[in-house]
Amino acid sequence: MTESTQDQWAQWLLRRRSGGVPQRLKAMLEVLSTWRDRILQNAHVIEGESLLDVGCGDGLIAFGALDRIGAHGKVIFSDISQDLLDHSLSLAQQMQVLDRCQFIRASADNLGAIESSSVDVVTTRSVLIYVKAKQQSFREFYRVLKPNGRLSLLEPINRFCYPEPLHLFKGYDVTPIQEIASKVRAAFECIHPPESSPMLDFDERDLLAFAERAGFAEIHLELQIEMKQPRRIDQTDSTKKPSWEVFLRSSGNPLDPTLEEAIAQALTPDEVEQFTAYLRPLVETMHGKERQALTYLWAVKH
């Protein structure tokens, strides 16, 4: 399937999040793999069990679980994107593990295709940020779990990073071009209105409350916060794209435009020139600060 015919979820996971640069995607997957391992570790997966990965995406967690469940276990890949399910199915065929995999198109808040009390483990990563009905999602997680089944998830807490101080834009100080940067910021806020976006309507305490209300009696939560200098995005021999090009042509999530698309929409040609002349040197010399908050939550259904 060509990129142009894929849905927005598949396009983002397979290309747009990395700006189309393989080296950047490799670096991202190194970080994501540590998150995956922690999620599976918190789930205490046992050989022979069944695991449902909600919002499986390109299969990072689901494929990672196969070694843990062994030859007699089963992993259910669940996602709203048929393109991503087809992508994962193709990978499962190549890996010769199709007999231990099942693929179901479903949203986190409606897992009706999955029977009640039918799986041992539910995992999910960075999925609830796209779901308005978060409490209903937790009820669905609880419903499909067997007695003593475990839930393990990771969600970014975007409230920690928003609202960013007005003088900052994606971690970079834009005080001298604040008026122009505000126009670009507005292009993103049209997609994610601060007062209603599911990406911003919760924090770690809400996740804890959602789990408790759903019926989970044993709940654990860990909040991790990092503030650090941005990682360098180096050139690669195959693409010759410098870090600015990757910064410009990558997207933070499937619903967002790339920065290049946003500035084309929001700015005049003269403003684009001013914006680029100021921000590009900051990006390429990493004169900024990344802010990130992540929550791991794991719980048991008694």
Side-chain angles (χ1 to χ4, degrees):
M1 181 177 293
T2 64
E3 181 187 349
S4 61
T5 60
Q6 291 176 329
D7 63 39
Q8 65 191 120
W9 309 97
Q11 286 189 38
W12 182 77
L13 271 173
L14 303 179
R15 182 175 176 81
R16 284 170 64 88
R17 64 173 168 173
S18 62
V21 177
Q23 188 67 19
R24 172 60 172 160
L25 180 59
K26 179 181 178 182
M28 294 176 73
L29 290 175
E30 289 176 358
V31 174
L32 294 174
S33 294
T34 65
W35 296 358
R36 172 203 63 201
D37 294 345
R38 179 65 190 280
I39 291 168
L40 291 172
Q41 177 185 334
N42 289 343
H44 301 290
V45 181
I46 300 172
E47 189 171 347
E49 289 190 319
S50 57
L51 180 146
L52 167 64
D53 187 28
V54 178
C56 62
D58 57 358
L60 180 73
I61 295 175
F63 284 118
L66 286 171
D67 288 340
R68 297 177 184 243
I69 63 164
H72 302 292
K74 179 178 71 172
V75 172
I76 303 172
F77 294 65
S78 170
D79 204 282
I80 61 171
S81 168
Q82 188 61 52
D83 290 340
L84 286 172
L85 290 173
D86 292 343
H87 174 79
S88 293
L89 188 149
S90 177
L91 291 177
Q93 289 175 323
Q94 295 173 34
M95 297 166 63
Q96 299 183 334
V97 295
L98 197 55
D99 59 323
R100 293 188 285 148
C101 301
Q102 183 180 355
F103 302 87
I104 295 177
R105 188 175 184 182
S107 61
D109 58 354
N110 184 3
L111 300 172
I114 301 167
E115 294 183 4
S116 299
S117 304
S118 62
V119 300
D120 297 292
V121 176
V122 171
T123 57
T124 189
R125 178 190 66 82
S126 300
V127 168
L128 295 174
I129 54 172
Y130 303 107
V131 179
K132 192 67 176 176
K134 294 179 176 63
Q135 182 64 75
Q136 175 61 19
S137 298
F138 273 88
R139 292 193 183 102
E140 284 289 86
F141 301 160
Y142 187 88
R143 179 185 65 79
V144 301
L145 281 170
K146 298 176 182 178
N148 298 314
R150 285 91 65 204
L151 167 68
S152 181
L153 63 82
L154 176 150
E155 288 293 332
I157 305 300
N158 290 331
R159 279 186 184 174
F160 174 72
C161 306
Y162 188 92
E164 214 173 23
L166 288 177
H167 70 284
L168 294 180
F169 180 83
K170 293 183 177 290
Y172 295 94
D173 188 346
V174 291
T175 301
I177 57 164
Q178 187 167 307
E179 183 176 347
I180 295 176
S182 296
K183 293 182 180 180
V184 181
R185 194 196 308 263
F188 289 98
E189 290 184 348
C190 285
I191 300 170
H192 305 293
E195 67 279 0
S196 60
S197 171
M199 290 192 170
L200 298 167
D201 67 356
F202 74 103
D203 61 18
E204 69 281 359
R205 295 187 181 187
D206 294 313
L207 293 175
L208 193 65
F210 292 147
E212 186 173 22
R213 290 174 195 150
F216 290 98
E218 179 184 332
I219 308 169
H220 307 268
L221 184 145
E222 180 180 310
L223 175 66
Q224 293 185 357
I225 294 176
E226 289 188 348
M227 299 177 66
K228 60 184 180 181
Q229 188 179 33
R231 295 186 302 275
R232 179 176 293 281
I233 309 172
D234 293 321
Q235 293 182 341
T236 65
D237 292 337
S238 61
T239 62
K240 301 297 183 182
K241 290 183 180 178
S243 58
W244 170 251
E245 296 300 319
V246 179
F247 183 78
L248 196 64
R249 294 174 183 170
S250 56
S251 171
N253 66 71
L255 305 180
D256 274 354
T258 64
L259 181 58
E260 185 175 49
E261 292 165 345
I263 64 176
Q265 171 189 332
L267 304 181
T268 67
D270 285 345
E271 288 172 333
V272 171
E273 186 175 344
Q274 294 177 57
F275 184 83
T276 303
Y278 177 80
L279 189 58
R280 180 170 184 165
L282 297 184
V283 172
E284 294 186 334
T285 57
M286 300 185 297
H287 277 76
K289 180 176 288 187
E290 291 182 348
R291 296 160 55 90
Q292 176 178 262
L294 300 173
T295 289
Y296 291 93
L297 183 147
W298 60 105
V300 180
K301 174 181 178 178
H302 290 315

